[in-house]
């Protein structure tokens, strides 16, 4: 190719070129803020956790069956808090995934445009309610309600916290799933309808598999929300660190523990206080695992319509 | 200027009317300081601004010892770790007891068999060794029913927990773990009021506001003695022991040098007696306040507790210690 | 029609399943909606009596009947301004970078995984980050700016994702049209992609803000104050330079904190205050969501490619 | 046009279906105007006409596809023989109609399932569960669609991994598996390259031995190549219908001639 | 074919551009193979060929549209006259190229802005800010695109409220406003109805007085109607190029003839 100088009318305009470059760098640096945030989170959590693990063996942390870091006889078994977190999340997901998915399918495949356009915003409003409000709702409304059916239920329990958390997550799941389903092109549905499939058959056999990666994303976000939810469990699940997977028990979760200690009376820098960073790190890693799983699921099953 | 070393947020050296007195710390002390701050600002028509936070005693001291606060609310004396931090940052402080809280042991109002309990019995119930073994009323006293009890208490991150364990079990932070813990005392109230076999403890204010839903137990300090119910009188006369505990504010030396902080502290000690009672705490006798106030005037700084937790501090004992400063 | 009896029975069965599912869908919808209604009525019942003008114009007080939410709503408002001012430019710029500029390489993949992950990081972990970074390392204190920055980081992924989706909805043909006329990349973005994706971006921003507005855990963790009987300094002054940024470093309280504080008061009367404040907060989020829906509807009318 | 020699009078042929005074409306907009068109049994009928003239709309009336969208309205009849019922009758279940009349679309639209499951789908929703029956029918359909050799070793792979032409043949196999009486093709090759197009056209040639076909195409060469009858539509009207070579070489209407020779508009 | 009488030897004509040994690659896939094609000044050149043969790919080389997508690669030259530079040279700024060579797409793609702003956009990015100049040029361009009368009273309305044919003429006006030297049309009428198509063809007729035009079309009738020269492409190769009526009525290649008479594949 000729590298001869190009006639003026077609040569690069330097000023324009430089301006474009600068803009690109600015945009890139904005995108890096998100990376910096993660780095910041990891840095803070790891730095403070190192102090903690300097005094508590990581083996104990992972294997001890008691969590009494603030007692005179301290134990640091994170499993105790994890069990609470996992149980409440599992209850929440048992509500949120079926209800959310059913709703999404209903809105996307069955409901009329009118119903959909009315229902979606209302559901999104549910997602906008401050979680602390949900917390007191669980404690003062749902728990007494459950007690009518099951009088033995303690005043604080994972069950009502989990249920309310599930309701809170429903809109996240239904909204994202519904978007994913609506993105499935009509031509795919028509293919199935043309063979004589009913709406439900089309929904379950064609739309749901086609929207799989979107559904996975919705579920993963739901899990992250459940695992990371703080105020509902702090208020309604009781603060008793229990190694239990029984929904009718009361138990502490990682998040509830952190928020409580963060405003408690412990001297900062003490091992007891440092536990919140170790717990925070655990929580971060837990959600990281779920999110990475979601990412790869999405990548693997990216829709090619 | 007077502010340069006090980076209180919002402080603007050029405009003294914008001065802010930053207070933070214990949620237990909060209602008292809040009441004072409210009245003080009214009396001042907002010329001096006061903020009160609830970061917990630990969070308060953390900021206090970094020089970020003027006053720290504390539901326990300053501890060794925090004294070191303060010393390192060159923060000196006045330790000012402001009122008493009577930790109240409560049961469900429908509980017929309990109205008095001894410290010994409480210890039996709450000791770490009891976890999993002592779970029924009749294990404490055979005349009590054969039913499982449910325990409610302060979160292990709180000063209340530290104090109660020290006073009852004899060792701070020594407690059984299988009880419902909450930082939010209302949830404890809720729990005890709904549970026939509940026993719990929390600050007097929460009992006082919910007397219809709860029943306070008279506590027998030493075996064979008489039960004492918590009240202003029993705290002041020292008979409600060991569950009466003092609460403090800590004022940094630099803040104390500021006119508006002085003004605030003066207001504090003039009004504490009425306001503390209003928010259901037990004020100290007037002469006690005079002694304490005098530390401030005499520039007597430091703590009288040596960084150790302390219990069974009656007002008398407190004053004795204060005098030693 | 002549289809075999067996087939007709199969069809009938399939259609019955359809009906059953519609029932389930409606039940799920009613379930979600009735939770919302129950929650709302619960709050109205408890808090309505406190909703008088004074409630909005009074500061907090130890006397429940005198206490108001002036400092709380002003604080929330100030924090939201900072949050929006930080999150919107950075989030939109990141979204633009990722959609319009980023080459498909490892670094972009990393940024993407990272943003996906941040979207699922529990809010309390952001609180820990803010405590370590903004409060302690940068010494910003528990101020409006700290809370604003924290919540900005928290909603950054929401804004980025919404921006990207809105940008992706702009058809490639519009981009090619602009390029074909000789537009540079940035001209194409600023003249076309950005304006046309505004409805989507705005919706994302508002949804992000309505999430931020109800967040309790992170602000509790950074240690926002609770009693404050004055407002941050006004951002505009009567003397030159007419702008005043002191409000950024002013202490503040926010609606969720106020609610949290009131619910933990011993006096029964404060519970009504808490309900009333929660009601105000919910109505605030409802309004924001309503605005988002309205905007989305209004602005999208013009965009039918 | 390939059967020029044996070209009897259409009225002697057996009909598979017929549109009678068919009108169709999208909301207020009338897309089909009084269409009367016979579809002869085991013949290929091509629908041609400029874009937007209503070809797809007409085709989709046959399997009641429009029922899926609100605001659409049929008038008149489409009779299906030998039962002689009106497909558009409210009392007729569209699901039953669609089980008898299969449709292949412009863009290949395989389900996001395995190749096997795609072809078996029609049988499954008919309640067939026996693996061996399914297997046999799938094989037969894939053979009929001239795809068996290419996919027999990868029946469990995702259908979306096939090439465009293969996907379209898969969609045809999917339609064939449930043994429809009438196959509806809506521009089945417009998204395909010439080679894939040729293979689909070849397939249509073979299929017409057994099955009635109605095909929409925008490609006049294709219509000429594959069909026995051609219908020319314009702006919702049926302008001309007849043997394909008559329509192409001896059009009765000036309009048809203009379109076919490229002078319309 | 309208200019049959005055048909000089092409080599005597002035060239506006020329592809020289042009190869083009999408990643590994070669989409254009050694294309040599002159584009004569102020003539209409039509590109025809079956779907996927590389017509659009070729057209988009001229204004460096492929630069926007990663993994594409040019080889060879496209020379632009009278400057006589290689448009594909790395040292050539694609922005400058696009400012001189304008493109109109298959589907009308007006910006969702006012009619006025659509047409003025090319001038705006050239830095023109004076309202009066913009107004004049917009009017001129709309007149040249035969749209002025229809829109002169509604210049502030959204362009998307126009009908399809009007939108496409608006896109042409948008291209014309910045006075390009070469207009590239990629199937500009394939999304339009016959009436709108006719109006665009009429417009092309008028424009060729002033401007060089390269048009891709899948409609052979259209190529025959509007172009002076026709190039027939097949699977990335340029098979035949010449005066339109020669290519249509006296094709040199068997392949071209087959395609034009509908017998390919
Ligand atoms: N869903 C719809 N709502 C309203 N009008 C529609 C709808 N679908 C099609 N139309 C209109 O009905 C007319 C016939 O459309 P149809 O799709 O049947 O045309 P066609 O002949 O298949 O065209 P093409 O060759 O482009 O596929 C057109 O004017 C079209 O704009
Ligand atoms: N972005 C791309 N990446 C890879 N291959 C492509 C891409 N775009 C087009 N191709 C391939 O390049 C070849 C030429 O495509 P092109 O779009 O130029 O064809 P065309 O002649 O314009 O066809 P049509 O008439 O359908 O528009 C085709 O085989 C096509 O599949
Ligand atoms: Mg069609
Ligand atoms: Mg093309």
């Amino acid at each position: 190719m000729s590298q001869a100088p190009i006639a003026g009318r077609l040569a690069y305009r330097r000023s324009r070129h430089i301006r474009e470059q600068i803009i690109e760098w600015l945009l890139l640096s904005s995108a890096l803020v998100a990376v910096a945030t993660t780095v910041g989170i990891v840095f803070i959590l790891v730095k403070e956790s190192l102090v903690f693990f300097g005094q508590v063996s990581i083996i104990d942390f992972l294997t001890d069956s008691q969590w009494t870091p603030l007692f005179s006889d301290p134990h640091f078994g994170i499993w105790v808090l994890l069990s609470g977190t996992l149980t409440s999340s599992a209850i929440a997901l048992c509500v949120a995934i079926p209800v959310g998915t059913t709703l999404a399918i209903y809105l996307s495949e069955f409901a009329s445009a009118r119903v959909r356009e009315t229902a979606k915003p209302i559901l999104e409003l549910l997602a906008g309610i401050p979680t602390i409000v949900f917390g007191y709702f669980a404690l003062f409304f749902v728990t007494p309600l459950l007690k009518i059916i099951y009088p033995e239920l303690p005043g604080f329990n994972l069950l009502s916290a989990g249920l309310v958390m599930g309701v809170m997550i429903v809109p996240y799941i239904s909204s994202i799933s519904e978007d994913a389903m609506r993105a499935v092109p009509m031509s795919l549905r028509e293919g199935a309808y043309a063979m004589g499939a009913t709406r439900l058959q089309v929904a379950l056999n064609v739309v749901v598999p086609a929207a799989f990666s979107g559904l996975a994303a919705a579920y993963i976000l739901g899990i992250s929300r459940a695992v990371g939810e703080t105020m509902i469990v702090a208020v309604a699940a009781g603060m008793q660190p229990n190694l239990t997977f029984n929904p009718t028990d009361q138990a502490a979760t990682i998040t509830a523990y952190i928020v409580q200690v963060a405003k408690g009376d412990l001297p900062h820098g003490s091992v007891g206080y440092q536990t919140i960073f170790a717990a925070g790190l655990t929580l971060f890693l837990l959600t990281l695992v779920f999110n990475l799983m979601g990412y790869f699921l999405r990548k693997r099953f990216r829709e090619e319509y | 200027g007077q502010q340069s070393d006090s980076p209180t947020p919002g402080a603007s050296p050029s405009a003294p009317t914008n001065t802010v007195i930053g207070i933070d710390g214990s949620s237990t002390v909060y209602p008292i300081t809040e009441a004072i701050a409210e009245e003080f600002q009214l009396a001042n028509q907002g010329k001096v601004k006061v903020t009160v936070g609830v970061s917990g005693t630990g969070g308060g001291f953390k900021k206090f010892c970094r020089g970020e606060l003027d006053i720290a609310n504390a539901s326990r004396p300053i501890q060794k770790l925090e004294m070191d931090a303060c010393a390192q940052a060159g923060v000196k402080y006045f330790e000012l007891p402001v009122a008493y809280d009577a930790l109240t042991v409560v049961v469900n109002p429908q509980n017929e068999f309990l109205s008095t309990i001894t410290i010994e019995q409480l210890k039996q119930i709450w000791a770490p060794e009891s976890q999993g073994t002592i779970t029924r009323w009749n294990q404490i006293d055979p005349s009590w029913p054969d039913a499982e009890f449910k325990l409610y208490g302060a979160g292990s991150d709180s000063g209340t927990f530290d104090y109660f364990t020290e006073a009852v079990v004899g060792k701070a932070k020594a407690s059984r773990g299988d009880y419902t813990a909450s930082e939010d005392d209302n949830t404890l109230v809720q729990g005890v009021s709904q549970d026939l076999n509940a026993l719990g403890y929390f600050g007097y204010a929460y009992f006082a506001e919910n007397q219809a839903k709860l029943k306070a137990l008279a506590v027998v300090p030493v075996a064979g003695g008489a039960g004492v119910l918590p009240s202003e009188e029993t705290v002041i006369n020292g008979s409600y022991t060991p569950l009466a505990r003092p609460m403090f504010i800590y004022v940094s030396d630099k803040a104390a040098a500021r006119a508006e902080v002085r003004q605030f502290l003066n207001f504090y000690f003039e009004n504490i007696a009425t306001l503390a009672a209003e928010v259901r705490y037990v004020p100290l006798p007037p002469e006690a306040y005079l002694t304490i106030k005098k530390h401030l005037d005499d520039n007597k700084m430091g703590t009288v507790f040596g960084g150790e937790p302390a219990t069974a501090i009656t007002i008398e004992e407190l004053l004795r210690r204060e005098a030693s400063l | 029609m002549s289809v075999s009896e067996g087939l007709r029975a199969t069809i009938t069965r399939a259609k019955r399943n359809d009906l059953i599912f519609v029932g389930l869908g409606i039940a799920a919808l009613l379930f979600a909606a009735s939770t919302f209604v129950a929650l709302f009525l619960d709050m109205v019942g408890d808090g309505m009596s406190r909703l008088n003008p004074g409630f909005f114009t009074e500061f907090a007080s130890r006397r429940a009947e005198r206490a108001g939410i002036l400092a709380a709503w002003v604080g929330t408002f100030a924090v939201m301004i900072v949050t929006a001012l930080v999150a919107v430019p950075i989030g939109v710029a990141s979204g633009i970078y990722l959609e319009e500029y980023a080459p498909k390489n490892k670094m972009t993949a990393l940024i993407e995984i990272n943003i996906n992950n941040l979207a699922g990081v529990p809010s309390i972990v952001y609180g820990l980050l803010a405590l370590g970074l903004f409060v302690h390392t940068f010494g910003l204190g528990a101020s409006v700016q700290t809370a604003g920055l924290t919540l900005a980081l928290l909603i950054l992924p929401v804004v980025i994702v919404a921006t990207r989706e809105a940008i992706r909805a702009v058809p490639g043909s519009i981009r090619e049209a602009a390029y074909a006329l000789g537009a540079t990349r940035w001209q194409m973005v600023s003249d076309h992609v950005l304006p046309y994706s505004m409805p989507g971006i705005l919706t994302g921003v508002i949804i992000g803000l309505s999430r931020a507005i109800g967040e309790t855990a992170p602000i509790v963790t950074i240690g926002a104050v609770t009693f404050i009987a004055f407002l941050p300094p006004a951002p505009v002054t009567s003397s030159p330079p007419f702008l005043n940024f002191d409000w950024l470093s002013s202490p503040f309280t926010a609606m969720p904190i106020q609610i949290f504080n009131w619910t933990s008061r011993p006096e029964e009367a404060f519970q009504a205050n808490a309900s009333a404040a929660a009601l105000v907060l919910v109505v605030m989020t409802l309004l924001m969501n309503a605005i988002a829906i309205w905007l989305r509807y209004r602005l999208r009318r013009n965009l039918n490619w | 046009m390939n059967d020029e020699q044996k070209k009897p009078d259409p009225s002697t042929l057996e009909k598979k279906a017929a549109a009678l005074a068919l009108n169709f409306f999208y909301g207020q907009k009338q897309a089909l105007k009084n269409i009367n068109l016979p579809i002869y049994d085991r013949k290929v009928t091509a629908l041609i006409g400029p874009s937007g003239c209503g070809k797809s709309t007409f085709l989709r009336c046959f399997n009641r596809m429009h029922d899926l969208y609100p605001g659409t309205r049929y008038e008149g009849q489409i009779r299906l023989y030998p039962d002689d019922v009106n497909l558009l009758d409210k009392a007729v279940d569209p699901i039953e109609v669609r089980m008898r009349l299969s449709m292949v679309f412009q863009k290949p639209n395989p389900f996001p399932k395995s190749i096997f499951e795609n072809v078996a789908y029609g049988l499954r929703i008919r309640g067939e569960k026996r693996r061996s029956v399914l297997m046999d029918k799938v094989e037969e359909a894939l053979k009929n669609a001239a795809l068996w050799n290419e996919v027999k070793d990868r029946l469990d792979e995702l259908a979306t991994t096939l090439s465009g032409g293969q996907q379209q043949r898969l969609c045809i196999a999917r339609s064939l598996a449930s043994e429809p009486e009438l196959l509806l093709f809506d521009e089945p090759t417009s998204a395909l390259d010439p080679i894939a197009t040729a293979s689909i056209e070849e397939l249509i040639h073979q299929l017409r031995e057994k099955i009635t076909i109605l095909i929409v195409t925008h490609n006049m060469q294709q219509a000429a190549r594959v069909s026995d009858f051609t219908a020319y539509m314009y702006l919702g009207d049926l302008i001309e219908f007849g043997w394909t070579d008559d329509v192409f070489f001896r059009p009765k209407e000036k309009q048809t001639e203009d379109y076919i020779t490229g002078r319309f508009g």
Side-chain angles (χ1 to χ4, degrees), chain D residues 26 29 31 49-58 106 186-187 216 218:
Chain D
Y26 289 113
K29 185 183 155 82
S51 189
C53 69
K55 304 182 294 293
S56 303
T57 304
F58 180 63
Q106 179 164 10
D186 192 357
E187 309 198 6
V216 165
H218 66 271

Side-chain angles (χ1 to χ4, degrees), chain C residues 86-105:
Chain C
V86 174
V88 173
I90 295 182
V92 172
S94 310
I96 291 174
Y97 180 79
L98 291 172
E99 280 304 311
E100 299 290 342
Y101 284 81
K104 290 274 161 287
N105 59 23

Side-chain angles (χ1 to χ4, degrees), chain B residues 149-183:
Chain B
F149 53 73
K150 296 261 177 48
L151 300 177
Y152 294 81
S156 53
D157 54 285
S158 69
T160 311
F161 171 78
D162 289 0
Y163 190 89
F164 184 82
T165 46
E166 167 100 43
V168 168
V169 183
K171 183 159 182 259
K173 296 178 186 295
S175 166
R176 63 193 295 163
D178 53 349
Y179 71 99
T180 299
S182 180
E183 179 60 12

Side-chain angles (χ1 to χ4, degrees), chain B residues 220-250:
Chain B
V220 183
V222 279
V228 184
L229 276 168
S231 72
E232 187 169 332
E233 192 193 335
T234 54
V235 171
I236 290 183
N237 69 23
S239 60
Y240 191 71
T241 186
L243 293 180
R245 62 165 173 158
M247 283 169 305
F248 309 86
I249 60 174
Y250 286 74

Side-chain angles (χ1 to χ4, degrees), chain C residues 67-174:
Chain C
I69 55 171
L70 179 59
W73 73 256
V74 173
T76 285
F77 191 71
V79 169
M80 285 303 122
I81 288 177
V82 177
T83 302
L85 287 181
V86 174
V88 173
I90 295 182
V92 172
S94 310
I96 291 174
Y97 180 79
L98 291 172
E99 280 304 311
E100 299 290 342
Y101 284 81
K104 290 274 161 287
N105 59 23
K106 285 261 162 58
M107 172 147 108
T108 315
L110 187 87
I111 299 181
E112 285 205 24
I113 297 182
N114 176 55
I115 289 170
N116 276 323
N117 183 50
L118 277 185
V121 169
S123 60
I124 187 116
V125 172
Y126 283 93
L128 295 180
L129 168 74
L131 185 66
L133 201 67
F134 299 142
V135 179
H136 291 157
T137 311
F138 297 165
L140 298 182
S143 55
V144 169
Q145 56 199 355
T146 302
L149 286 173
T150 311
L151 296 179
L153 291 185
L154 180 74
I155 67 165
L156 198 54
V158 180
V159 177
I160 294 177
V161 169
T163 303
R164 296 186 65 179
E165 253 154 37
I167 287 180
R168 239 176 280 158
V170 176
S173 64
I174 295 282

Side-chain angles (χ1 to χ4, degrees), chain A residues 42-60:
Chain A
V42 172
F43 175 76
I44 294 281
L45 292 181
V46 169
K47 186 183 108 190
E48 304 280 344
S49 299
L50 282 180
V51 178
F52 172 78
F53 286 117
Q55 303 177 48
V56 175
S57 106
I58 195 155
I59 311 273
D60 286 351

Side-chain angles (χ1 to χ4, degrees), chain B residues 64 70-71 92-98 249-270 288-302 322 325:
Chain B
F64 183 75
D70 300 316
I71 299 173
K92 296 201 205 104
Y93 44 82
F94 296 93
E95 178 183 73
L96 310 173
V98 292
I249 60 174
Y250 286 74
V251 183
S252 84
D253 57 338
K254 287 181 184 129
R258 280 157 52 194
E260 69 277 7
V261 177
R262 275 297 165 133
Q263 203 187 338
F264 177 72
L265 290 172
N266 287 337
F267 189 88
Y268 206 115
F269 285 99
E270 276 160 29
Y289 286 124
L290 287 178
T291 318
I292 292 159
K293 183 87 191 323
K294 205 155 173 304
H295 290 328
L296 203 57
D297 299 333
D298 298 350
N299 227 9
K300 283 193 185 158
M301 290 188 267
E322 290 298 331
L325 199 69

